[in-house]
Amino acid sequence: MFKNWRIALATALFLTTSAFRTAEIPNHTKVADGPLSATERQYAVDLLEKTKADFLASVTGLSATQLNWKADSSRWSIGQCIEHITLAEIGIFRIQQGSMTALADAAKRAEVKLTDAQVVQFLTNRTGKAQAPDVIKPTGRFPSPDAALQAYGQQRDKIITYIKTTPDDLRLHYWKHFIGTVDAYQTILLLAAHNERHRLQIEEVKASAGFPK
């Protein structure tokens, strides 16, 4: 089951690069062995908190009509985007936690080819399209968008607490994403960037002709 999650999410999240706040992203992929630095830890926390705040601001105050509106039958509604973001939030963190069960392995760092900036850029580029795997497609698994947002908030707060407090060296644990091997720290950045990618999708829906006012 874990393997299927990993393969499905990795395939779905393969995108092309873009400029997403590149100047703000520390380029600290190539690091010495040891625990996370204060800079790494703070950057991840800041990214998690900002993407959470921006996402919630994008959906706050929307009516049921606005949440359920679709530009056409092939597009997701904002409510469906909310569900997808929440499901991916849970799934990607599950992968990250699964990677931490393996023994730390400094020798495998050579397999990590992407910088932290590139990981974020891959996920936030909206010009590259991908099909979400069935396991995180929106199918009405929450009773309402509000319920999905509540689950999202609880999960994101759990992740923020984790990255603030973990004593583990996330740089020495890995999994194979479709874009290449990423470490457990980069997986946290990937999770936040995925959130931002679909927040931008929500903004595209809101800007569509015919979106209810």
Side-chain angles (χ1 to χ4, degrees):
M1 181 64 178
F2 170 72
K3 182 178 180 182
N4 291 338
W5 259 99
R6 192 169 64 181
I7 293 171
L9 280 169
T11 302
L13 300 177
F14 174 55
L15 306 167
T16 54
T17 57
S18 70
F20 170 63
R21 303 190 180 103
T22 305
E24 301 175 16
I25 303 173
N27 201 12
H28 42 44
T29 294
K30 308 251 190 258
V31 296
D33 296 345
L36 290 178
S37 70
T39 300
E40 290 170 321
R41 200 180 296 270
Q42 191 60 54
Y43 174 69
V45 169
D46 289 347
L47 187 63
L48 288 164
E49 290 181 341
K50 178 163 179 51
T51 53
K52 176 188 175 184
D54 289 348
F55 169 50
L56 294 179
S58 288
V59 300
T60 296
L62 296 180
S63 67
T65 299
Q66 290 171 321
L67 287 168
N68 293 319
W69 183 85
K70 294 183 179 183
D72 61 59
S73 60
S74 68
R75 307 290 184 87
W76 286 354
S77 68
I78 293 174
Q80 287 175 312
C81 290
I82 291 171
E83 180 181 353
H84 170 71
I85 289 168
T86 302
L87 292 172
E89 191 88 1
I90 296 166
I92 295 171
F93 190 59
R94 183 179 298 171
I95 290 171
Q96 194 272 352
Q97 293 289 279
S99 74
M100 296 302 297
T101 63
L103 293 176
D105 187 352
K108 290 187 70 174
R109 277 225 58 83
E111 297 180 20
V112 178
K113 305 298 184 183
L114 296 176
T115 66
D116 298 335
Q118 288 170 331
V119 169
V120 174
Q121 289 165 356
F122 270 100
L123 268 294
T124 52
N125 180 18
R126 290 283 301 148
T127 63
K129 303 300 181 181
Q131 280 290 324
D134 289 343
V135 72
I136 55 172
K137 281 183 179 177
T139 59
R141 277 170 275 188
F142 297 95
S144 67
D146 281 345
L149 284 171
Q150 183 178 7
Y152 163 86
Q154 292 171 347
Q155 180 70 10
R156 177 55 66 93
D157 289 347
K158 174 182 175 182
I159 296 166
I160 291 171
T161 298
Y162 169 76
I163 201 68
K164 282 181 176 179
T165 60
T166 181
D168 296 328
D169 189 347
L170 307 190
R171 294 297 194 179
L172 298 182
H173 298 265
Y174 322 87
W175 65 286
K176 286 199 180 287
H177 188 281
F178 191 80
I179 60 176
T181 299
V182 293
D183 63 42
Y185 174 80
Q186 290 178 326
T187 308
I188 299 296
L189 305 185
L190 182 152
L191 179 152
H194 176 265
N195 188 166
E196 174 65 7
R197 170 178 173 80
H198 288 284
R199 184 196 69 82
L200 295 173
Q201 182 180 2
I202 288 169
E203 291 301 318
E204 290 169 9
V205 174
K206 290 163 65 175
S208 298
F211 182 73
K213 302 302 182 184

